[in-house]
Amino acid sequence: MDAATLGAVGTIVVGLAAAAAAVVGQRGANRASQSGAVLGGYSTLVDNLQEERDKVRAQLAENEVRLAAAYAELASERADKALLQGQITALTVENTQLRERIVELGGQPT
């Protein structure tokens, strides 16, 4: 082969090598771009989940406070009910005693 042919073949080989390197480089860039997009999406998803978790925790804390208040109110109402039940019992006993006293005094119980 003469020098011109070798030069032409060398130019073709170098061109092919450069083209192959460009293709490989572009594939690597695409992978890096896709990887960045995936990581960015993952980061956003994690941020959204953390925000939602914080909201749920705040709602849980609020519900715990409301539940404690409801239990306190129920306990108060039960105490009031027990007090009223005691008053009813005492008045019923007193009424029975008063009716018996009326009968002892010669009257008719109502």
Side-chain angles (χ1 to χ4, degrees), residues 13-66:
V13 169
V14 168
L16 289 174
V23 168
V24 170
Q26 184 62 33
R27 285 185 182 171
N30 286 343
R31 284 187 194 133
S33 174
Q34 289 173 351
S35 176
V38 168
L39 290 177
Y42 178 75
S43 176
T44 301
L45 178 62
V46 169
D47 290 344
N48 290 343
L49 290 174
Q50 288 174 342
E51 287 177 18
E52 186 175 348
R53 182 189 62 212
D54 292 343
K55 286 179 185 177
V56 170
R57 282 184 178 164
Q59 185 178 2
L60 176 64
E62 180 182 333
N63 283 353
E64 291 291 342
V65 168
R66 291 171 52 198

